[in-house]
C-alpha cells in the first residue's frame, strides 16, 4: 500500500488525488503550500485508506460532512484485476458501497474535494488536566455539546487512566486563526497540567496529540453512538474510566481511554446516501473506547471489558431517554464481532448483493475488516 503515495492537487477542479497508502499527516503537508485542505483524520498517524473506507469523522465534518461525502471518484482494483475509476455516474451502486463500506474492495487512489484553508492557519491544540479538575472539564464539555453551533469549532475530550489515576486529554479546534469569544472560554479557564494551544498550521495541530504512542501494543476498540453528551453520560464515562482503569492496569493495561466526540446534529446532511451511515435523517456523535495492553494472555479479558463498558454507557443513555437503540455504530471504532446490521442497518442486503456481483470468488474475504 505504501507505493500508493500520490498527492496531486488540481486548482482548476479544486480536487486532489490521494494515494491510499498515505497517512493524513503526509496529505496535509503536501497540500499546505496550496493553502487548501481536505476532510481527513484529526490526529497523527491515521491511514488514508482505512479512515476513508469506514466513513471518516474529521475536524471539518461539521462544515463539509464525512470524508466519504467529499470523495468524487475512487480508483479501484477489482478482484479480477481490472482497474476502474468509479464515480456516482459511472457506477452508482459500487460508488454507494465504497462510501463507508469498509475493506470489501481494493482502492488505489481517492479523488477528494479540496477546500480553501486561508494559509492553513487554525487555532487549537492539547490541554491535559489532572483528576482534581475533571468535573470542570465535564461541565465545559457538556455545555459545548449542548450550546455551540459554530460548525468550525470542535473538541475531543478524552478520559484516560494512567499511572493509577484518571485524567483528561482535551483537544480543542477552530477552523480559523482565532475563535470567536466564548466558545472555548470554559476550557481555557480550567487549571491545567500542560497546555499547547495556539494559532498554528493544520498539521501542527494534528500532531499535538500523541495518539500513536501505543501503536506497537495489543489493542481493542469499541463504540456507542450517542445523540447527546449530557452531564449524566459524562459522569458514567468517568465511572467507567476509573472502574476499568483500576482493573485492567493489573492485567498489563497501559492505556485506558474513552473519547467524547460531539458533532452537530446535521452532520450527515452534507452527503448523499452511502453504505455508512445507513440513515442520514438524524445525526449521531460517536463515542470511542480504546484499551491498550501488552500480554497476550489478557486478550479475552480486555475484549470483554470493552463490550461491558460499551453496554453500560448505552444503558445509561437509554435510561436517560436517548433514542439510540437502532443507531448504527461507526465501523472504524466498532469491536471486531459487531453484527453487520449494527453498522449498516437496512443496507446490509444491498451491500451483500453488490459484493457477490463485484467479487463472486470472495477474494477480499482474505483481507481483514467487516465482510459482506
Amino acid at each position: 500500500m505504501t507505493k500508493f503515495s500520490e498527492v496531486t492537487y488540481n486548482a482548476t477542479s479544486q480536487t486532489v488525488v490521494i494515494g491510499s497508502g498515505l497517512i493524513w499527516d503526509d496529505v496535509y503537508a503536501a497540500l499546505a503550500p496550496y493553502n487548501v485542505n481536505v476532510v481527513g483524520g484529526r490526529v497523527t498517524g491515521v491511514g488514508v485508506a482505512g479512515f476513508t473506507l469506514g466513513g471518516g469523522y474529521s475536524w471539518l465534518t461539521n462544515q463539509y460532512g464525512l470524508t466519504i461525502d467529499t470523495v468524487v471518484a475512487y480508483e479501484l482494483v477489482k478482484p479480477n484485476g481490472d482497474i476502474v475509476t468509479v464515480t456516482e455516474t459511472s457506477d452508482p451502486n459500487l460508488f454507494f458501497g465504497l462510501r463507508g463500506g469498509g475493506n470489501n474492495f481494493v482502492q488505489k487512489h481517492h479523488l477528494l474535494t479540496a477546500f480553501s484553508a486561508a494559509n492553513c492557519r487554525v487555532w487549537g491544540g492539547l490541554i491535559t488536566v489532572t483528576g482534581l479538575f475533571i468535573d470542570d472539564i465535564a461541565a465545559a464539555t457538556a455545555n459545548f455539546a449542548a450550546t455551540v453551533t459554530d460548525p468550525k469549532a470542535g473538541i475531543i475530550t478524552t478520559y484516560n487512566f494512567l499511572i493509577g489515576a484518571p485524567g483528561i486529554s482535551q483537544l480543542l479546534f477552530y477552523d480559523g486563526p482565532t475563535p470567536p469569544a466564548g466558545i472555548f472560554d470554559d476550557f481555557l479557564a480550567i487549571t491545567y497540567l500542560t497546555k499547547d494551544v495556539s494559532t498554528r498550521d493544520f498539521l501542527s495541530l494534528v500532531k499535538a496529540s500523541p495518539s500513536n504512542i501505543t501503536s506497537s501494543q495489543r489493542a481493542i476498540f469499541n463504540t456507542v453512538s450517542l445523540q447527546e453528551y449530557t452531564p449524566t453520560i459524562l459522569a458514567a464515562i468517568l465511572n467507567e474510566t476509573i472502574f476499568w482503569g483500576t482493573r485492567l492496569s493489573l492485567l498489563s493495561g497501559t492505556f485506558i481511554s474513552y473519547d467524547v466526540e460531539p458533532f452537530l446534529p446535521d452532520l450527515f446532511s452534507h452527503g448523499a446516501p452511502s453504505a455508512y451511515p445507513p440513515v442520514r435523517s438524524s445525526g449521531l456523535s460517536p463515542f470511542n473506547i480504546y484499551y491498550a495492553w501488552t500480554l497476550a494472555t489478557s486478550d479475552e479479558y480486555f475484549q470483554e471489558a470493552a463490550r461491558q463498558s460499551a453496554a453500560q454507557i448505552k444503558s445509561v443513555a437509554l435510561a436517560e431517554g436517548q433514542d439510540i437503540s437502532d443507531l448504527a455504530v461507526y465501523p472504524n471504532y466498532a469491536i471486531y464481532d459487531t453484527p453487520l446490521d449494527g453498522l449498516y442497518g437496512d443496507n446490509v442486503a444491498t451491500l451483500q448483493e453488490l459484493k457477490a456481483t463485484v467479487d463472486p470468488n470472495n477474494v477480499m474475504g482474505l483481507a481483514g475488516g467487516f465482510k459482506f
Side-chain angles (χ1 to χ4, degrees), residues 109-370:
H109 297 93
H110 310 88
L111 182 66
L112 271 68
T113 302
F115 301 98
S116 176
N119 298 320
C120 290
R121 304 296 284 177
V122 298
W123 179 94
L126 176 67
I127 299 172
T128 60
V129 174
T130 62
L132 291 174
F133 304 101
I134 288 179
D135 288 347
D136 295 329
I137 287 286
T141 299
N143 181 63
F144 180 97
T147 66
V148 174
T149 57
D150 188 334
K152 294 184 177 182
I155 63 171
I156 300 177
T157 304
T158 300
Y159 288 72
N160 300 313
F161 193 90
L162 293 168
I163 320 175
I168 296 286
S169 295
Q170 181 67 59
L171 283 171
L172 308 176
F173 173 80
Y174 192 80
D175 188 21
T178 307
I183 291 181
F184 299 105
D185 291 1
D186 290 349
F187 294 102
L188 297 175
I190 297 169
T191 300
Y192 57 83
L193 177 64
T194 65
K195 181 182 177 183
D196 175 23
V197 176
S198 64
T199 299
R200 62 215 299 173
D201 64 74
F202 193 83
L203 179 57
S204 170
L205 182 134
V206 166
K207 289 183 173 181
S209 177
S211 60
N212 55 0
I213 58 173
T214 60
S215 59
S216 63
Q217 298 181 16
R218 313 182 78 79
I220 192 71
F221 286 88
N222 204 1
T223 187
V224 179
S225 292
L226 298 171
Q227 294 174 323
E228 300 178 85
Y229 280 110
T230 65
T232 299
I233 292 293
L234 296 175
I237 292 170
L238 175 59
N239 287 340
E240 291 297 293
T241 304
I242 296 171
F243 179 87
W244 289 111
T246 302
R247 287 156 177 78
L248 297 178
S249 295
L250 301 175
L251 295 168
S252 78
T254 59
F255 196 76
I256 309 303
S257 72
Y258 295 82
D259 294 335
V260 172
E261 305 180 13
F263 285 90
L264 294 178
D266 66 347
L267 78 162
F268 295 145
S269 66
H270 302 283
S274 52
Y276 172 87
V279 176
R280 286 181 172 261
S281 57
S282 60
L284 61 85
S285 287
F287 168 64
N288 182 29
I289 298 170
Y290 174 75
Y291 302 153
W293 68 99
T294 58
L295 296 179
T297 52
S298 297
D299 286 1
E300 291 186 8
Y301 196 96
F302 277 83
Q303 293 162 9
E304 182 57 27
R307 294 187 187 94
Q308 291 186 29
S309 197
Q312 175 62 17
I313 296 301
K314 184 173 184 178
S315 70
V316 172
L318 288 168
E320 198 178 33
Q322 295 197 38
D323 185 16
I324 62 170
S325 295
D326 298 322
L327 276 187
V329 296
Y330 181 32
N332 287 358
Y333 289 169
I335 198 167
Y336 61 88
D337 56 358
T338 302
L340 286 178
D341 59 0
L343 306 167
Y344 303 109
D346 291 341
N347 287 340
V348 171
T350 298
L351 293 167
Q352 288 175 331
E353 182 178 350
L354 175 65
K355 173 68 188 307
T357 300
V358 175
D359 186 14
N361 296 317
N362 195 28
V363 172
M364 289 304 296
L366 300 173
F370 297 102

Side-chain angles (χ1 to χ4, degrees), residues 69-93:
D69 296 326
T70 69
V71 177
V72 295
Y74 297 90
E75 186 178 22
L76 178 73
V77 181
K78 287 188 172 182
N80 66 3
D82 290 347
I83 299 175
V84 296
T85 298
V86 180
T87 68
E88 191 168 17
T89 54
S90 71
D91 192 336
N93 292 333

